[in-house]
Amino acid sequence: MRRTRVAGLRRTPRARGMRRPGSPAAVALAAAGVLLLSGTCTSAAQDRQDGAAGEHVGESGGLSGAAACPGLEGYTCATLTVPLDHSGRTPGRLGLKVAMADNADAPKGVLLFLTGGPGQPGVPYVTRLSEKLAPVLKDYRLVMVDQRGTGGGALQCPQLQTEMGASDLTPPTARAVTDCAAAIGPNRRFYSTGDTVADLELLRRALGVRRMTLDGVSYGTYTAERYALAHPGHVARLVLDSVVPQTGADPMDLAAMRAAPRVLTAACKAIACRTDPAADLAEVVDTYGNGDGVDVLDALTTWEFVDPNYAAMIDALHKAAGGDPGPLRGLIAGTRQGNAATAEELSQGLHASTLCLDVRYPWGRSDAPVAGRQEALEKAAAQLTPADHGPFDAATAMGTGLMLTCLHWPRTPAPPLPPDHRRLPGVPVLLLGGDRDLSTPLEWLYDQKKLTPRAQVVVVRGAAHSVQSRAASDEGREAVFDFLLRG
């Protein structure tokens, strides 16, 4: 069965005469905020000494061109040179922009903050994050990096970028996907999380420290987990905010589908609404059908950045369930417009390259033949039950943007992944989440907790995605400060 992009809700043939959606301009302006977030250890002084004395930084891995960051007092910007292929078999180098606080002698060492996506740069967010983390930055040296394929070195895929923007749920066309893969070429195999982890290890060596504290948000949590698994002796502690488990994302997004009723019910209670948004959501998906659940799920997941109480979305779902889908169609159109993003803000080329390499799909990994993927996807979807996808349907699970992107992504060698059962090293780990988060639902946080020996869990009620950066309450940030300054 061939999937097609769906522009908005439509009734099945039993009901007709729908209104055209209203102007999405106001919704788009609000939704445009989505991109704004995005054990035992030795002393920091001993870490720096051991790192500088015990490890040699070769031609790749050095920092060059150090100069004051423009418009950013107290920070130095430089370029980290890394090999395109860490195995050395394919020539080429990449220059990754790095911003480093000037307090190189900070008593607790380096705090490496990792942004999300994948595809979001780091350096442009230094000002925002330095303000959010100000209480700990006398003790830590904040460092941020534009991971390979992001920022000024973003992988460029114009049509895919236009179609998907900052979303990984919006369904792309097959042509946009294959054109993107062709534009990147065979080098797309060098943009996995494993490659980024190897870059971060070169960054640690270039900074001259033995251990780093990593603070990741969203996909940044997955990168931090993968770094800790690969280099357990070089991690002091971890902050994982809006957790993607180390076992990887689910391309069907089933956890978010199941979580939607819980999130909407909690939001409804907070605003004292008089409807049943969980029942309304189920009615909308059942009534409009034909895979349009992807549109609704995409809009819901985006709306958490606009309003974690989902007030307008709850009202629109109720009206749509009662036969008036116009307001919901307007919200869907507005959030789609608000998700627009340049490659420099969030590269869909990098997003596709990384997730098609990293994630396990119904057909297997990225090295599976393209010819059999659709059949494998349909077989997996046919085995789903309502308990798997909640109020949504199998067509929604089959039609997420991530799934369709990698369905059409050309066959590419698959890098190794850590064993699913492997646990994080026994260093202190803070697992932080918001109970209104649908991008990385709390169920993922608790999945990661099972693989984290020294986990501290903090759930912020009323918060959605990216607690440190976006939550109205200070509860999550204060938990981070306490965690980072302890001991």
Side-chain angles (χ1 to χ4, degrees):
M1 179 177 66
R2 181 176 178 83
R3 297 287 298 149
T4 58
R5 181 170 179 173
V6 182
L9 285 170
R10 60 180 182 273
R11 282 193 184 272
T12 52
R14 65 177 180 268
R16 301 178 183 274
M18 290 178 53
R19 298 186 321 191
R20 297 177 60 84
S23 170
V27 178
L29 287 172
V34 170
L35 282 173
L36 301 177
L37 306 184
S38 38
T40 301
C41 62
T42 60
S43 70
Q46 184 64 47
D47 284 351
R48 287 191 293 273
Q49 181 179 351
D50 291 348
E55 306 197 51
H56 171 70
V57 179
E59 181 180 12
S60 288
L63 287 164
S64 62
C69 295
L72 189 58
E73 185 177 354
Y75 284 83
T76 295
C77 286
T79 298
L80 176 72
T81 301
V82 300
L84 172 67
D85 176 7
H86 282 278
S87 76
R89 290 188 289 269
T90 301
R93 290 184 291 171
L94 301 172
L96 311 182
K97 189 174 181 181
V98 179
M100 306 161 285
D102 292 338
N103 60 333
D105 59 349
K108 289 187 176 293
V110 166
L111 174 61
L112 177 62
F113 195 99
L114 300 170
T115 50
Q120 191 176 49
V123 173
Y125 296 99
V126 170
T127 298
R128 180 180 180 87
L129 269 300
S130 63
E131 293 170 352
K132 297 293 183 182
L133 295 170
V136 304
L137 296 187
K138 289 183 179 179
D139 293 270
Y140 286 92
R141 183 189 192 191
L142 179 63
V143 176
M144 297 189 71
V145 59
D146 288 353
Q147 298 171 33
R148 62 171 56 203
T150 74
L155 298 184
Q156 299 285 339
C157 292
Q159 186 57 36
L160 189 65
Q161 194 72 41
T162 297
E163 291 184 6
M164 297 192 73
S167 175
D168 57 10
L169 285 170
T170 303
T173 60
R175 178 63 180 270
V177 172
T178 55
D179 283 354
C180 176
I184 300 169
N187 285 349
R188 62 182 178 272
R189 68 189 185 277
F190 301 128
Y191 290 91
S192 72
T193 300
D195 293 295
T196 292
V197 164
D199 294 341
L200 298 182
E201 175 60 5
L202 291 180
L203 175 59
R204 180 194 65 79
R205 298 181 189 183
L207 292 169
V209 298
R210 183 179 177 186
R211 296 187 181 184
M212 303 185 293
T213 293
L214 282 71
D215 184 340
V217 59
S218 194
Y219 168 73
T221 68
Y222 180 73
T223 307
E225 294 153 6
R226 289 286 303 274
Y227 181 86
L229 291 170
H231 304 284
H234 296 311
V235 176
R237 58 184 60 209
L238 298 169
V239 176
L240 306 178
D241 173 359
S242 306
V243 180
V244 178
Q246 67 189 61
T247 50
D250 173 12
M252 288 186 170
D253 216 16
L254 296 176
M257 294 183 201
R258 294 191 298 267
R262 167 182 61 77
V263 168
L264 290 173
T265 298
C268 179
K269 183 177 179 180
I271 61 176
C273 79
R274 297 183 179 182
T275 64
D276 182 348
D280 289 339
L281 174 61
E283 176 66 20
V284 166
V285 174
D286 180 64
T287 300
Y288 298 100
N290 297 319
D292 284 333
V294 175
D295 285 332
V296 176
L297 184 63
D298 194 7
L300 282 172
T301 304
T302 299
W303 202 255
E304 70 183 90
F305 296 91
V306 180
D307 173 19
N309 286 327
Y310 296 89
M313 190 63 67
I314 288 172
D315 180 65
L317 284 170
H318 186 63
K319 289 176 179 176
D324 178 13
L328 182 57
R329 292 179 67 181
L331 291 183
I332 289 171
T335 53
R336 187 71 55 85
Q337 184 178 337
N339 265 328
T342 67
E344 289 73 23
E345 292 171 320
L346 191 148
S347 168
Q348 281 293 345
L350 186 279
H351 195 84
S353 297
T354 300
L355 293 180
C356 292
L357 290 169
D358 284 359
V359 174
R360 296 178 176 90
Y361 294 87
W363 53 84
R365 301 283 308 285
S366 59
D367 54 357
V370 174
R373 293 179 186 177
Q374 181 69 38
E375 181 180 359
L377 174 57
E378 291 175 1
K379 181 178 179 181
Q383 296 172 349
L384 294 175
T385 68
D388 295 316
H389 48 64
F392 291 90
D393 53 22
T396 303
M398 291 177 64
T400 67
L402 174 56
M403 183 72 79
L404 296 184
T405 295
C406 296
L407 177 70
H408 301 297
W409 198 250
R411 193 175 187 181
T412 307
L417 294 174
D420 282 350
H421 64 274
R422 189 174 172 190
R423 294 161 70 83
L424 287 181
V427 300
V429 179
L430 176 62
L431 301 175
L432 179 63
D435 72 335
R436 307 286 174 80
D437 189 356
L438 286 175
S439 297
T440 53
L442 283 180
E443 289 77 2
W444 283 3
L445 182 153
Y446 289 109
D447 286 344
Q448 182 58 46
K449 183 177 183 292
K450 298 172 186 175
L451 297 170
T452 307
R454 297 185 60 186
Q456 174 187 346
V457 173
V458 174
V459 175
V460 180
R461 304 298 171 187
H465 195 65
S466 187
V467 175
Q468 293 173 89
S469 179
R470 303 189 62 85
S473 164
D474 286 331
E475 178 186 350
R477 286 181 286 275
E478 289 174 355
V480 172
F481 304 155
D482 290 345
F483 175 80
L484 290 177
L485 297 175
R486 185 185 309 144

